[in-house]
């Protein structure tokens, strides 16, 4: 039976995605197949999973299992591993608003419809259970501290706010919301806050959480009836650091629970710190009441670092690893990596590894050879500077406004034109362009580019104007 079930899981993975398999089907097993009554008995961990599968995936089950079992029709019997578990357990964690009663209909087939056999695949539940436990706490990374975080104009606000909350927990900015593009130091700052709070007060309870882990924990808590433990984790904390909150997007139920936990923490005056790749309002698929709560305290951005900050970061990292990094090599690397400090570190590691392996000192010639793939010096970054400057000049808008979060129609239109020109004229990735223009998401850039392309097909004047701008950029 389990071969058939494994085959079924493969199909579901392709049709509905691995998330659905991990969330709902992994802890289910096909117990028996009665060919005379055409009845398939599925063992599910609890009532909630049973109802959810019946309401959402019954057709998928029917179609594919019928084919795999060579059965013209199928009936289903769902047997709960914890049949006596009160539904209230699941309900207690999910506010009634998200789970309509329809989601709690009793199983359609009676559990007695098929005889029980010992579940052959209980190890799956056990593995998941232990995973759930292992993943439930994430340790703070002690390498991410304030003393090795380089401050420059691009991150000074976020850094100052992060430091300020450590000495005045929950009384200055609550929540503190830090946003910025990938690899710009959000996670570093969150851990630095946690480490600093602990250093000041070893008894403080700090909890670092990623959205991914939060979602998995939540799902496991439902699956294994551990909703109480799930909530308890947030009961005695002093500081909660939620990283990459944008991944809660479109996860309705998780957002409900998050909302509930947020409110409790806030009311109890616990410090909340959140990070995301975009401004709260721009996180698609997030409930507006959550977005507005995220803006209750301070929203601080991290922008792409300037060359000096990048060089300072490289020097700090080199010192830490006791590497002798000549200035011209630092400059060479900083000039080529535009918008991601992780890539900056990667380049340094490659050069230092090469130096160690070949027993040579780091030199500019070696860096050029090793980092051949980084391309021409700063061309892209200079080009983006030129494009934003010339677009701003032609439309008489300040560069800062284009980079800002202002949503005024005129500014938003000019920003979209800047995105379009950058996409057209540079080799930068959409994310790098988004990062450059105020830490925006790549989907915002795609949206803008598509919109301008449509306008260009209809508007000759715009076509001419953009032609002139392009010429000016090319000749500047
Ligand atoms: P994000 O969470 O924004 O994607 P991270 O915090 O993971 O980025 O940062 C990526 C890497 O860059 C980490 O190794 C981090 O230590 C380093 N980093 C980022 N910003 C700084 C900074 N200002 N000073 C020193 N290191 C930094
Ligand atoms: Mg991060």
């Amino acid at each position: 039976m389990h071969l058939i079930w494994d085959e079924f899981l493969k199909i579901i993975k392709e049709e509905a995605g691995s998330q659905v398999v991990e969330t709902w089907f992994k802890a289910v097993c096909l117990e028996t197949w009665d060919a005379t009554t055409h009845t398939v008995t599925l063992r599910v961990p609890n009532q909630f999973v049973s109802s959810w599968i019946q309401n959402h995936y019954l057709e998928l089950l029917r179609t594919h299992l019928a084919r795999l079992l060579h059965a013209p029709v199928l009936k289903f019997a769902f047997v709960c591993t914890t049949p006596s578990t009160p539904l209230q357990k699941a309900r207690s964690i999910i506010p009634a608003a998200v789970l309509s009663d329809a989601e709690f209909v009793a199983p359609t087939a009676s559990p007695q419809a098929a005889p029980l056999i010992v579940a052959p695949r209980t190890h799956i539940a056990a593995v998941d259970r232990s995973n759930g436990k292992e993943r439930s706490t994430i340790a703070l990374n002690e390498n991410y501290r304030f003393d090795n975080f380089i401050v420059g104009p691009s991150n000074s606000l976020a850094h100052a706010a992060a430091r300020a909350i450590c000495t005045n927990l929950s009384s200055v900015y609550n929540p503190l919301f830090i946003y910025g593009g990938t690899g710009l130091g959000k996670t570093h700052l969150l851990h630095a806050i946690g480490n600093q709070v602990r250093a000041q007060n070893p008894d403080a309870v700090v909890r670092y959480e990623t959205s991914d882990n939060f979602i998995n924990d939540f799902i496991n808590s439902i699956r294994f009836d551990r909703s109480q433990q799930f909530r308890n984790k947030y009961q005695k904390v002093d500081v909660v650091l939620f990283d990459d909150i944008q991944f809660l997007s479109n996860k309705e139920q998780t957002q409900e629970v998050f909302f509930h936990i947020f409110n409790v923490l806030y009311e109890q005056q616990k410090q909340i710190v959140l990070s995301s790749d975009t401004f709260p309002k721009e996180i698609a698929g997030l409930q507006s009441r959550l977005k507005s709560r995220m803006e209750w305290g301070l929203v601080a951005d991290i922008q792409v670092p300037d060359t000096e900050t990048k060089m300072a970061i490289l020097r700090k990292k080199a010192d830490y690893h006791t590497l002798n990094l000549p200035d011209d090599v630092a400059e060479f690397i900083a000039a080529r990596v535009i918008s991601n400090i992780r890539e900056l570190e990667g380049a340094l590691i490659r050069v230092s590894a090469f130096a160690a392996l070949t027993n040579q000192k780091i030199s500019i010639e070696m860096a050029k050879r090793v980092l051949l793939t980084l391309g021409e010096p700063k061309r892209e970054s200079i080009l983006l500077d030129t494009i934003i400057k010339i677009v701003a000049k032609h439309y008489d808008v300040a560069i800062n406004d284009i980079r800002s979060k202002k949503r005024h129609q005129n500014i938003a239109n000019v920003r979209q034109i800047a995105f379009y020109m950058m996409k057209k004229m540079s080799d930068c990735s959409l994310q790098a362009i988004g990062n450059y223009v105020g830490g925006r998401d790549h989907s915002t850039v795609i949206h803008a580019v598509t919109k301008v392309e449509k306008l260009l097909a209809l508007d000759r004047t715009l076509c001419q104007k953009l032609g002139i701008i392009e010429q000016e950029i090319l000749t500047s």
Side-chain angles (χ1 to χ4, degrees), residues 143-144 148-151 155 180-189 243-244 275 302 309 313 316-317 340-342 345:
N143 293 323
Y144 289 166
N148 60 6
F149 187 86
I150 301 293
V151 186
N155 57 25
T182 311
L184 294 185
K186 302 180 294 295
T187 299
H188 189 132
L189 272 185
D243 209 356
D244 286 324
S275 90
I302 305 189
T309 310
I313 291 173
K316 184 97 185 176
K317 304 266 170 197
N340 187 329
I341 295 170
R342 206 172 286 124
E345 286 179 354

Side-chain angles (χ1 to χ4, degrees), residues 175-195:
L176 170 63
F177 187 99
I178 298 174
Y179 75 94
T182 311
L184 294 185
K186 302 180 294 295
T187 299
H188 189 132
L189 272 185
L190 258 56
H191 283 273
I193 294 170
N195 286 321

Side-chain angles (χ1 to χ4, degrees), residues 81-94:
T81 302
T82 50
S84 58
T85 303
L87 296 184
Q88 286 78 352
K89 271 197 181 177
R91 273 184 190 276
S92 65
I93 184 84
I94 310 168

Side-chain angles (χ1 to χ4, degrees), residues 50-244:
S50 164
S51 304
W52 187 274
I53 287 183
Q54 288 178 66
N55 283 318
H56 296 85
Y57 303 112
L58 204 57
E59 273 318 299
L60 274 179
L61 276 167
R62 207 185 293 287
T63 314
H64 296 297
L65 283 181
R67 197 167 49 76
L68 293 169
L69 293 165
H70 303 287
V73 279
L74 278 190
K75 284 188 228 152
F76 290 97
F78 287 82
V79 188
C80 289
T81 302
T82 50
S84 58
T85 303
L87 296 184
Q88 286 78 352
K89 271 197 181 177
R91 273 184 190 276
S92 65
I93 184 84
I94 310 168
V98 259
L99 291 176
S100 66
D101 282 340
E103 284 173 320
F104 280 97
V105 289
T108 47
S110 143
Q112 286 81 31
L116 290 187
I117 52 168
V118 180
R121 284 161 58 85
T122 42
H123 66 280
I124 289 187
V127 168
D128 276 358
R129 214 183 278 273
S130 74
N131 269 351
K133 204 164 183 184
E134 274 160 28
R135 294 178 59 114
S136 65
T137 21
I138 303 176
L140 285 177
N141 183 339
E142 288 173 4
N143 293 323
Y144 289 166
R145 302 180 310 269
F146 282 122
D147 65 31
N148 60 6
F149 187 86
I150 301 293
V151 186
S154 55
N155 57 25
S156 55
L157 175 64
H159 171 261
R163 287 220 79 130
I165 59 169
C166 294
T167 37
N168 295 290
L169 282 183
S170 81
S171 57
V172 273
Y173 310 117
N174 204 17
L176 170 63
F177 187 99
I178 298 174
Y179 75 94
T182 311
L184 294 185
K186 302 180 294 295
T187 299
H188 189 132
L189 272 185
L190 258 56
H191 283 273
I193 294 170
N195 286 321
Q196 178 72 18
V197 169
R198 275 196 190 153
Q200 282 166 203
N201 174 10
D203 294 332
V205 183
V206 178
R207 190 172 171 85
Y208 170 83
E209 193 65 84
T210 63
S211 317
D212 270 354
N213 193 59
F214 184 80
I215 293 165
N216 278 325
D217 250 12
F218 167 60
I219 288 167
N220 281 335
S221 79
I222 295 173
R223 224 202 246 170
F224 302 118
D225 289 312
R226 293 193 314 232
S227 49
Q228 195 55 47
Q229 286 103 305
F230 180 72
R231 276 184 304 170
N232 284 350
K233 281 186 218 158
Y234 295 90
Q235 247 162 23
K236 293 211 174 77
V237 293
D238 298 302
V239 182
V240 181
L241 311 158
F242 277 113
D243 209 356
D244 286 324

